[in-house]
Amino acid sequence: YVALIRQNGMNLLQIINDILDISKIEAGKLEIEVAEYELNSFLEGIDSMLSFMAQGKGLEFKIIQHDVLPDVIHTDQNRLRQCLVNLINNAIKFTDKGHVYMKVSLEKNTENGHFLRFDVEDAGIGIPIEKQKMIFESFSQADGSTSRQYGGTGLGLTITKQLTELLGGTLSLVSEKGKGAVFTLRIPTEQNSNLHVEYAETLKTN
């Protein structure tokens, strides 16, 4: 009973935090704090945080590093972690067997600088092509049966997409129903601290 009460309390807290975050973003009041962070320590923290959850469902979870990655990145570590944890949590939630991988690579672009790329890949239920746009909208999931079976508010991907854009990056999806999904998050390794101000003004205008 205590475990059930605790889990329900955590679920309620997550709902409240999601609603607060989306409200701050839409009001242009959410602050992005850019600093220098060690990438390896950041990835190790995510691995230790989520590997236990994947193991509890019998899933293989790995963080796979490709290329030579930078030792440090300039971004808001807490908000980037929030984005990746949301994506990996979703991948684990919607995968009953198989794997969840996060592949990390470096995209070199001489015009716009270098981008760090995170591909969160799962072997889960997948998302039909016609439903892929709507899942980034507030309080939306692929269909009603998804929310009944797996829970959630439908705010996680909305918040993740908008936070990614506040960080100067992009979030995209490749998926088919029954064939898993790959969410790709890209952020610049050298961050422009004014980006969140510009994006907040865009939100207010819209």
Side-chain angles (χ1 to χ4, degrees):
Y1 289 146
V2 172
L4 182 61
I5 292 169
R6 181 181 183 278
Q7 184 59 53
N8 287 338
M10 294 298 291
N11 291 341
L12 179 59
L13 179 61
Q14 184 61 56
I15 292 170
I16 293 170
N17 286 336
D18 283 348
I19 292 172
L20 288 174
D21 277 345
I22 199 72
S23 299
K24 287 179 183 178
I25 291 170
E26 291 179 350
K29 299 295 185 181
L30 190 140
E31 293 295 327
I32 296 295
E33 299 180 4
V34 177
E36 182 177 281
Y37 297 101
E38 187 182 57
L39 181 57
N40 273 340
S41 296
F42 175 78
L43 295 177
E44 287 172 2
I46 291 179
D47 183 65
S48 63
M49 186 187 309
L50 294 167
S51 57
F52 183 76
M53 180 180 174
Q55 290 168 8
K57 290 191 67 175
L59 304 176
E60 180 184 20
F61 176 65
K62 287 183 181 178
I63 295 179
I64 303 169
Q65 298 186 37
H66 295 283
D67 308 320
V68 177
L69 300 177
D71 293 329
V72 298
I73 57 173
H74 294 78
T75 189
D76 186 320
Q77 176 179 236
N78 292 329
R79 293 305 179 180
L80 177 58
R81 182 188 296 110
Q82 183 178 353
C83 291
L84 295 176
V85 167
N86 274 346
L87 293 177
I88 297 170
N89 266 334
N90 272 358
I92 294 172
K93 181 194 297 184
F94 295 113
T95 303
D96 293 324
K97 61 180 180 178
H99 69 271
V100 173
Y101 298 148
M102 184 172 76
K103 301 175 181 178
V104 190
S105 57
L106 185 65
E107 288 188 0
K108 297 180 180 180
N109 186 321
T110 54
E111 293 183 4
N112 300 316
H114 296 170
F115 282 78
L116 203 58
R117 173 173 172 155
F118 302 88
D119 291 296
V120 178
E121 171 189 312
D122 67 61
I125 62 175
I127 303 165
I129 293 174
E130 66 273 14
K131 300 290 181 67
Q132 291 180 13
K133 185 176 180 181
M134 68 173 289
I135 64 170
F136 292 107
E137 298 173 1
S138 297
F139 302 104
S140 293
Q141 291 184 332
D143 57 54
S145 62
T146 300
S147 59
R148 287 193 297 272
Q149 182 175 353
Y150 296 97
T153 61
L155 284 174
L157 286 176
T158 305
I159 292 169
T160 299
K161 188 175 190 299
Q162 295 191 0
L163 284 178
T164 300
E165 292 173 355
L166 284 169
L167 294 171
T170 60
L171 179 64
S172 58
L173 165 65
V174 175
S175 181
E176 289 183 47
K177 185 176 181 180
K179 296 184 178 180
V182 179
F183 284 87
T184 298
L185 186 154
R186 298 165 68 253
I187 61 160
T189 56
E190 296 288 336
Q191 187 59 260
N192 178 353
S193 61
N194 292 321
L195 282 170
H196 72 284
V197 176
E198 297 168 5
Y199 184 62
E201 290 301 320
T202 302
L203 284 174
K204 285 181 181 178
T205 302
N206 295 334

